[in-house]
Amino acid sequence: MNKTTRKIYRGIQLSVAAAAALTLAGCGVGGPVDAGKKQDVAAAAASEGRTLKLAHVYDAAHPVEKCGVKTLTEKLAGSGINVKSFPGGQLGSEAQALEQVASGALDMSIAGPSFLGVWHEPAAVLDGAYLFESVDHFAKTLEGDTMKKIYSDLKDESGLQVLSGWYYGTRHVTSNKPINTPEDMKGLKIRTPDAPQYMLNTKIMGGTATPMALGEVYLGLQQGVIDAQENPIPTIATAKFNEVQDYVNLTGHLVQAVNVVTSASIYDSLDEAQRKALDEGMDAAATSVRECVETAEKDTLAKWKQDGSIKVNEGVDRAAFMDQAREALPGQVSWGELYKEIQASK
């Protein structure tokens, strides 16, 4: 995606985000404070500490919320920072919430690398199909110098500051027929998040990408608007996609992070002790989320195999998908050489 297209894409998202912010204001969220109450509000804020609003699209039962946000909140107790979470897309989609962080209407959001790539293209590299073959390789890369440099450049270019990366899970395709090879993907309308890299991954794997907000996917599958979708096991389970799909095909095409993002201005406005507490809380939350997600992946697959609520297809020719993606992807993105370097670093 060239710079002009990227600006148009971001401009559309910003307009939608602004409309969402106006709607929230009309509902009393972020509305004006009565002049006579300003002193009381200030006094309460001083005694209770600073509250940061955090938005994400995942269900309240998802590990992002019940493990990540929960751990973060616990670790920040007594630090002078409180986190108020808005799960389930209450404040908009991933793209909209990220736009609100950039505009100053929201303090923090959780977004995948593809959405960060709209603001700084190399940040999308972590969402390149078949980049990683293990969670350990993923974690090593996320914590390494390469991503630190990319996140620093993202901050300089956009004002968005990545606070942490949480293991979101390994993405697989669900469908109403077995998918074993790229040929089986042809003609299938596969839901993806509305970010360019997700759509490119699906195209490279052989399917037809259909962008859709996560909260709309269940109904879209139920009504046949889309044929399939791709997500990690915990998300498939909490969103109950196993109720409206017959197969979970273990393509393992993306070992993925979601990023907790704030603005540089918000982070810099914290005092040194608060920044230290926030950084340490994010580290603890990342550890907790990985443990929860890996446990959920294992336990949920075992449950599905036992109860048959969705057929677990372990016959996927991952090598065929991997070879196709690794050959085609580098030439279609600006960070192709970086993609190959990270692969080789395992």
Side-chain angles (χ1 to χ4, degrees):
M1 183 168 61
N2 61 37
K3 289 185 178 179
T4 300
T5 304
R6 191 161 74 252
K7 286 178 180 177
I8 293 171
Y9 184 88
R10 280 164 50 178
I12 292 170
Q13 291 178 338
L14 185 56
S15 297
V16 176
L22 286 172
T23 301
L24 289 169
C27 296
V29 178
V33 178
D34 184 274
K37 297 180 180 178
K38 284 183 179 179
Q39 290 184 342
D40 292 340
V41 171
S47 64
E48 295 175 6
R50 183 168 179 179
T51 297
L52 301 179
K53 293 186 295 181
L54 167 65
H56 63 81
V57 299
Y58 309 109
D59 189 89
H62 192 280
V64 163
E65 178 71 21
K66 74 176 187 179
C67 300
V69 176
K70 181 175 182 289
T71 298
L72 177 62
T73 301
E74 290 172 350
K75 292 295 181 181
L76 287 174
S79 69
I81 299 176
N82 304 303
V83 173
K84 183 173 178 58
S85 180
F86 295 86
Q90 294 178 52
L91 301 189
S93 67
E94 281 180 86
Q96 290 166 355
L98 199 57
E99 289 281 359
Q100 290 176 52
V101 171
S103 70
L106 180 66
D107 301 313
M108 296 187 292
S109 72
I110 298 177
S114 291
F115 291 96
L116 296 183
V118 173
W119 296 83
H120 179 61
E121 286 188 0
V125 67
L126 292 182
D127 272 354
Y130 293 101
L131 177 64
F132 302 114
E133 293 186 38
S134 71
V135 180
D136 286 339
H137 182 204
F138 152 85
K140 175 186 172 184
T141 302
L142 198 65
E143 297 164 4
D145 291 340
T146 296
M147 292 313 301
K148 287 178 182 176
K149 174 66 165 59
I150 287 173
Y151 293 150
S152 176
D153 291 344
L154 169 69
K155 176 182 171 182
D156 291 342
E157 186 172 325
S158 68
L160 294 171
Q161 182 162 343
V162 174
L163 296 172
S164 185
W166 296 353
Y167 175 54
Y168 179 52
T170 298
R171 297 179 84 100
H172 306 286
V173 178
T174 66
S175 59
N176 288 324
K177 71 169 189 175
I179 294 175
N180 296 314
T181 69
E183 286 291 318
D184 297 328
M185 297 269 279
K186 286 187 176 178
L188 287 184
K189 292 179 291 183
I190 302 174
R191 177 270 172 180
T192 70
D194 189 10
Q197 188 54 43
Y198 288 109
M199 293 183 269
L200 179 58
N201 285 342
T202 296
K203 177 184 175 183
I204 285 173
M205 290 173 65
T208 300
T210 304
M212 184 179 289
L214 184 62
E216 300 171 5
V217 176
Y218 185 98
L219 192 61
L221 292 168
Q222 191 176 52
Q223 296 182 341
V225 176
I226 48 176
D227 302 311
Q229 67 84 47
E230 49 87 45
N231 258 303
I233 298 299
T235 304
I236 295 169
T238 56
K240 298 182 172 26
F241 296 149
N242 55 301
E243 296 179 351
V244 288
Q245 295 270 261
D246 294 334
Y247 292 89
V248 55
N249 307 280
L250 302 186
T251 51
H253 54 279
L254 203 57
V255 180
Q256 192 180 33
V258 289
N259 302 104
V260 187
V261 184
T262 188
S263 66
S265 59
I266 288 289
Y267 188 79
D268 292 344
S269 72
L270 302 175
D271 63 39
E272 185 176 349
Q274 289 174 327
R275 289 195 295 270
K276 183 174 185 292
L278 185 59
D279 292 343
E280 291 176 350
M282 288 293 173
D283 289 343
T287 299
S288 179
V289 172
R290 176 173 175 176
E291 292 172 355
C292 286
V293 169
E294 289 186 314
T295 297
E297 287 177 320
K298 179 181 176 182
D299 292 350
T300 303
L301 279 176
K303 177 180 179 295
W304 285 343
K305 289 177 183 179
Q306 183 176 28
D307 66 22
S309 60
I310 187 169
K311 300 178 183 68
V312 179
N313 177 19
E314 298 181 275
V316 177
D317 186 352
R318 290 189 71 249
F321 280 108
M322 187 180 299
D323 290 347
Q324 184 162 304
R326 290 182 171 180
E327 180 180 351
L329 184 59
Q332 298 188 47
V333 292
S334 62
W335 35 262
E337 289 304 312
L338 178 60
Y339 173 84
K340 291 188 280 188
E341 289 171 12
I342 292 175
Q343 277 182 6
S345 70
K346 64 182 179 179

